[in-house]
Amino acid sequence: MLKTLLYIDENLASSIALRFTGYLNKFIPLSLFVIHVEQAGEQERAGEPLQKTWEEGAGARGRRTVYRMLRTENIDCPLAGRPKIFIGNRIEEITYELRSGSYQFYIEGYLNTAEPDRFYKRISSPLYTQAPCPVLLVKNLSISKKCALLCADGVDPEQLVRQSMKILGNSGFRFDLISFRYKEKGQLEIRPAGEDDATLREVHSRLLAAGKSAVKSVTAAGTPEQVGNYLKDYALVASTLPASKSRRMATLASSQASVLLVH
């Protein structure tokens, strides 16, 4: 079972992430822990007695938030331990817990928007760039039995396959290889992957070496928005972490499917 940490807040993004995690557990057995962080603010400068009272209240508020969400969603994936409630900076607290707890997988919700800059700001934060394990941004509750491995210029095939298979290798999902090629104008073009696509061919070869095979391998030529929309039928799309504001990053931002980031 994968030791997994799921972030919970009282919002729609967390609600979708909870439900998707329950669905994911049918394909990937998860040892699930949940975490919630109450943001510290002006109270940090209060005197010690007042600070202690505020922290106790914030902790109780955080526990109520988590248990309300768990009762509401009632997902089919039992927790492996008590909810973890922290007070402080969200990114710092989650990053510390991931490292100290030796987690293999981190999940959080992300409401999809048409704003690539917002997506890039999220994935370029220390939580993503320094995470010791693959990270899943749950964008949608896609009930699908297939996953896509996104190939494009700048993708390290060895890294993509090795790290994504740590999560998906023993799952019941089927795999498709999608090679993104930018085309500025016209309709989206889906065609069989060509011999000239060295990245996709190496990903395919490494997937076979890992004991897995792709159901199909195609090239998707179009804008990031068109290819992102094409990916909507997948439970999730796996990609290496984009290092910059690239067209692949924009494609992942536009994806209506959840995004598994590895590095």
Side-chain angles (χ1 to χ4, degrees):
M1 299 179 78
L2 285 175
K3 188 175 181 182
T4 302
L5 187 65
L6 168 67
Y7 182 77
I8 291 181
D9 217 333
E10 200 162 24
N11 54 33
L12 181 58
S14 290
S15 175
I16 294 172
L18 265 167
R19 281 181 265 169
F20 189 75
T21 299
Y23 178 72
L24 202 61
N25 186 55
K26 298 177 182 179
F27 295 86
I28 308 169
L30 304 175
S31 176
L32 183 63
F33 295 82
V34 298
I35 183 173
H36 171 77
V37 180
E38 285 287 314
Q39 295 282 98
E42 293 297 317
Q43 293 83 356
E44 290 178 314
R45 292 194 291 271
E48 186 174 338
L50 184 58
Q51 170 71 5
K52 183 177 180 181
T53 300
W54 178 83
E55 288 181 352
E56 290 173 351
R61 184 167 61 249
R63 283 189 291 275
R64 287 196 298 271
T65 293
V66 169
Y67 284 114
R68 267 198 307 270
M69 290 294 290
L70 292 173
R71 284 195 304 271
T72 299
E73 301 305 335
N74 192 27
I75 64 171
D76 187 17
C77 183
L79 298 187
R82 296 177 62 183
K84 299 174 181 293
I85 312 298
F86 296 98
I87 301 169
N89 179 280
R90 193 183 85 93
I91 289 176
E92 292 176 359
E93 296 295 341
I94 296 171
T95 303
Y96 178 81
E97 178 62 20
L98 283 173
R99 291 188 176 280
S100 62
S102 300
Y103 292 92
Q104 300 166 283
F105 193 21
Y106 174 66
I107 303 174
E108 70 176 19
Y110 177 83
L111 289 183
N112 206 20
T113 72
E115 302 173 23
D117 285 349
R118 179 170 171 259
F119 181 82
Y120 180 69
K121 183 179 180 181
R122 173 71 68 94
I123 68 171
S124 61
S125 75
L127 175 57
Y128 289 81
T129 58
Q130 299 175 21
C133 61
V135 175
L136 178 66
L137 277 81
V138 179
K139 292 185 171 191
N140 211 336
L141 188 59
S142 177
I143 307 301
S144 173
K145 296 182 179 180
K146 58 182 183 176
C147 299
L149 272 64
L150 186 63
C151 309
D153 293 339
V155 169
D156 182 333
E158 189 274 338
Q159 187 181 67
L160 175 61
V161 174
R162 177 169 53 86
Q163 296 295 337
S164 64
M165 288 304 108
K166 287 181 178 180
I167 305 301
L168 304 172
N170 294 320
S171 74
F173 287 112
R174 62 170 246 197
F175 305 110
D176 288 348
L177 304 185
I178 311 295
S179 180
F180 166 63
R181 288 290 176 266
Y182 178 69
K183 187 175 74 168
E184 185 176 2
K185 297 179 180 180
Q187 294 183 336
L188 176 69
E189 182 183 353
I190 304 297
R191 59 177 184 266
E195 287 296 317
D196 60 335
D197 194 327
T199 299
L200 187 143
R201 283 192 288 108
E202 187 174 349
V203 169
H204 185 267
S205 175
R206 289 183 177 277
L207 197 60
L208 289 174
K212 299 294 177 180
S213 60
V215 175
K216 69 177 182 180
S217 300
V218 300
T219 295
T223 65
E225 293 77 17
Q226 288 172 327
V227 177
N229 184 62
Y230 174 75
L231 297 170
K232 65 184 178 183
D233 293 330
Y234 291 94
L236 57 89
V237 177
S239 172
T240 53
L241 185 70
S244 62
K245 291 185 178 181
S246 61
R247 286 169 178 159
R248 176 165 60 95
M249 187 282 298
T251 301
L252 293 170
S254 300
S255 167
Q256 296 182 42
S258 297
V259 175
L260 176 66
L261 294 170
V262 301
H263 59 79

